[in-house]
Amino acid sequence: MSLVEMLVQGDAVSRLVAALLLLMSVSSWVVILWKLWLLRRAGSDVTRSVAAFWQSPGLADARQRLHGFDRSQLVLPLIEAAQPQAPGTLAAAGERGQQLTRVLRDALHRVLHRLQYGQVLLATVGSTAPFVGLLGTVWGIYHALTGIAADGQISIDKVAGPVGEALIMTAAGLAVAIPAVLAYNVFGRQIGRIEADLEGFARDLRELLSHPGAATGPAA
């Protein structure tokens, strides 16, 4: 009996487990491929954008130049957030350094949230897929043994086939979980490096803009 035949002849629980594993596999691979593209571009964009910023003569020129470098929109939101707040509001209250700390922190959180998107799904798939597959195996073995007992003739040949087919569910669960776990760990390290670069740039930007006239330029 093939896996397809086993699913066709299986009950609702077996089909539900198989469909759930398929859904988890498809969703995790979609996230993996998307984050491969995103993080590869993001790492390059952050490096080029930070370099372009410090080579600019002023803030206005830096914002203009970064539109061509920061395709991932990771550095530019920090610069945009550091613009002076509207007077007469609580956002403009306090010293300039306090304002910059608040707005840069909020902008950094939004940027990092985009980088972290999908990590929860990968962690969930990696931790639960083996147990979902194990559930399918236990259920399949139960039904296989029940069917064999109903026939009244128990032999190693009749037990090995159905039980071996049920164990495929455990293998399927591992096949779904392993890529998700590996991707989660690899992406976590990449996100950590990008996060460290962005946090360092945010600190440097705060120090630069905390002092009046420090960021003056031709068009600042």
Side-chain angles (χ1 to χ4, degrees):
M1 182 186 295
S2 66
L3 178 59
V4 175
E5 292 174 341
M6 183 180 67
L7 293 177
V8 170
Q9 298 179 14
D11 59 4
V13 175
S14 299
R15 296 175 184 175
L16 178 61
V17 169
L20 183 57
L21 286 175
L22 179 61
L23 177 62
M24 295 171 76
S25 178
V26 171
S27 60
S28 63
W29 274 107
V30 168
V31 171
I32 288 171
L33 295 176
W34 172 70
K35 288 188 74 71
L36 276 173
W37 170 79
L38 173 68
L39 294 179
R40 181 178 179 182
R41 188 173 71 165
S44 174
D45 287 353
V46 170
T47 301
R48 296 168 57 209
S49 297
V50 171
F53 175 85
W54 293 116
Q55 293 172 3
S56 301
L59 280 179
D61 183 74
R63 289 197 301 271
Q64 188 67 27
R65 294 183 64 182
L66 259 62
H67 282 290
F69 288 100
D70 193 18
R71 300 167 299 172
S72 303
Q73 291 291 300
L74 297 175
V75 177
L76 194 57
L78 300 180
I79 300 174
E80 297 291 348
Q83 300 307 303
Q85 303 298 313
T89 63
L90 290 176
E95 298 180 355
R96 177 60 172 160
Q98 296 173 334
Q99 299 175 24
L100 289 170
T101 298
R102 182 176 61 253
V103 296
L104 288 174
R105 180 190 61 225
D106 294 342
L108 189 61
H109 285 170
R110 290 192 295 269
V111 168
L112 295 180
H113 177 73
R114 289 172 47 205
L115 291 176
Q116 292 283 352
Y117 188 80
Q119 289 293 96
V120 173
L121 184 142
L122 293 178
T124 302
V125 170
S127 61
T128 60
F131 297 102
V132 174
L134 184 59
L135 172 62
T137 294
V138 171
W139 191 261
I141 291 175
Y142 166 74
H143 274 275
L145 295 179
T146 301
I148 292 172
D151 291 340
Q153 297 179 354
I154 301 178
S155 64
I156 189 63
D157 294 335
K158 291 188 176 182
V159 173
V163 171
E165 290 160 1
L167 289 173
I168 294 176
M169 285 293 187
T170 299
L174 292 174
V176 173
I178 290 174
V181 172
L182 293 177
Y184 176 83
N185 292 331
V186 171
F187 293 156
R189 294 210 311 262
Q190 293 179 344
I191 292 172
R193 289 196 294 266
I194 297 174
E195 180 179 351
D197 291 340
L198 290 173
E199 288 178 348
F201 175 73
R203 286 194 299 268
D204 293 340
L205 183 62
R206 180 192 177 281
E207 292 298 320
L208 176 68
L209 301 181
S210 294
H211 307 289
T216 56

